[in-house]
Amino acid sequence: MSGLLALLDDVAAIAKVAAASIDDIATQTVKAGSKAAGLVIDDAAVTPKYVTGFKADRELPMVWRIARGSIFNKLVILLPILLALNYFLPWIITPLLMLGGLYLCYEGAEKVIHYIRPQDPVAHAEHETGDPAKLEESRVAGAIKTDFILSAEIMVVSLSVIEVGGFWMEAVTLAVVGLAITALVYGGVALIVKADDIGAAMHQNGRLGATRAFGRGLVVGMPPFLAVLSFVGTLAMLWVGGNILTHGASTLGWPLVYDGIHHWAVDAGNMLSGARGFVEWFVTAALDGVIGLLIGLIVVLVVTPFMRGKAH
């Protein structure tokens, strides 16, 4: 009996450790996911454009293929590479993070330039002709390549804030983060790309006037919603990219800008103590976004002539 009680006590202890580990993983997953929220918004804003122009019955299969490619990017390629780098060369994570932040600033600045000076759609029409099957393959491949860059940044950002000790705990947490974010992004993308079809069906077949009106509202509202989502995604890229660069510079020994932003945000929060948390976040995000835009514009000025020369 004493042996049985001892065994049950050991089982209970193991269960407590397992429960604590699961709780740690869940906590770190939420923390990492919130840190990568800006990237998630941008990922959700970018992906729908890859399935526009195709028949309705091809939209969800394309989203599913892109989602599978995203999971492969995160779990098969990026996860082992990042864990190995974090284990053997932990100092390289911050420079990699800053490199990704630089890319986000570049992409965000390019989008701002396109908002100001829209591109001629005719200039890109030549890439939208030909065999639909080949066009689908090209679109899916392009989406997966874009996802790889965003996934790399999401995984690096997530790894940088994981505080759970132990190699395997970090691996499991990072894998859960990757799967959860992929499900969130591409589940949202699937709803977005099918919302107009759902709305059209409700408008045409709804028995109630409210149902038909809601369906029509979906159809009419999706284009402006996508425009707003794209705009928010651009702001998120600049905000996250600027924050990554300022925080990385502080980590590497140049804290002037990061500390200055923090002090300004705290001062602004003290002036409006009733909404201190929101004000501090807003000021920090706004200043990080301005820095991200300025750095991104510099990168655009440097990279654009090189890209034009390579094209010729």
Side-chain angles (χ1 to χ4, degrees):
M1 180 62 70
S2 62
L4 178 60
L5 291 176
L7 176 61
L8 293 176
D9 187 60
D10 289 341
V11 170
I14 292 172
K16 289 180 181 179
V17 171
S21 298
I22 293 172
D23 184 61
D24 286 340
I25 291 171
T27 302
Q28 295 301 316
T29 298
V30 172
K31 184 177 180 180
S34 63
K35 183 69 175 179
L39 298 164
V40 171
I41 294 172
D42 182 65
D43 208 354
V46 168
T47 305
K49 72 177 183 180
Y50 289 100
V51 299
T52 57
F54 289 90
K55 294 181 178 179
D57 61 347
R58 294 306 308 158
E59 290 176 341
L60 290 183
M62 289 180 68
V63 172
W64 171 238
R65 291 178 62 191
I66 297 169
R68 284 187 301 172
S70 179
I71 293 174
F72 185 86
N73 286 339
K74 291 183 178 73
L75 300 189
V76 179
I77 300 176
L78 294 169
L79 179 63
I81 291 176
L82 290 178
L83 288 175
L85 289 175
N86 192 48
Y87 186 80
F88 294 106
L89 299 171
W91 57 267
I92 206 171
I93 296 299
T94 296
L96 285 177
L97 200 59
M98 294 181 71
L99 187 63
L102 201 62
Y103 174 80
L104 288 176
C105 293
Y106 165 74
E107 282 287 305
E110 264 207 330
K111 289 186 177 182
V112 170
I113 293 173
H114 292 163
Y115 286 136
I116 298 173
R117 293 188 305 171
Q119 290 183 333
D120 182 6
V122 178
H124 300 280
E126 59 184 15
H127 300 292
E128 303 299 325
T129 59
D131 183 13
K134 290 183 179 180
L135 179 58
E136 179 177 326
E137 290 296 326
S138 175
R139 288 276 193 95
V140 170
I144 292 174
K145 288 178 182 178
T146 301
D147 174 90
F148 181 84
I149 298 171
L150 291 172
S151 291
E153 195 63 15
I154 288 170
M155 297 292 274
V156 174
V157 168
S158 301
L159 181 62
S160 69
V161 299
I162 291 176
E163 298 175 353
V164 177
F167 177 86
W168 291 110
M169 193 69 73
E170 288 182 349
V172 173
T173 303
L174 204 57
V176 172
V177 169
L179 289 172
I181 287 179
T182 301
L184 175 65
V185 168
Y186 290 100
V189 168
L191 289 176
I192 289 171
V193 300
K194 298 305 292 183
D196 53 349
D197 294 332
I198 295 172
M202 293 174 67
H203 177 61
Q204 294 173 2
N205 305 319
R207 296 183 178 180
L208 300 177
T211 303
R212 294 192 296 272
F214 181 76
R216 185 176 184 278
L218 277 179
V219 174
V220 174
M222 283 311 297
F225 172 76
L226 289 174
V228 170
L229 185 63
S230 178
F231 179 73
V232 172
T234 299
L235 295 181
M237 289 206 326
L238 294 171
W239 154 47
V240 174
N243 179 263
I244 287 171
L245 292 177
T246 57
H247 186 268
S250 177
T251 302
L252 295 176
W254 300 295
L256 181 62
V257 176
Y258 183 80
D259 289 346
I261 290 175
H262 175 71
H263 289 312
W264 289 333
V266 171
D267 290 342
N270 290 333
M271 293 174 62
L272 297 170
S273 57
R276 178 175 298 167
F278 173 78
V279 171
E280 289 185 8
W281 171 86
F282 181 81
V283 171
T284 301
L287 294 175
D288 284 337
V290 171
I291 291 174
L293 177 60
L294 294 175
I295 294 175
L297 290 174
I298 293 172
V299 176
V300 169
L301 290 175
V302 172
V303 170
T304 300
F306 171 77
M307 296 298 292
R308 287 176 179 172
K310 188 176 180 180
H312 292 295

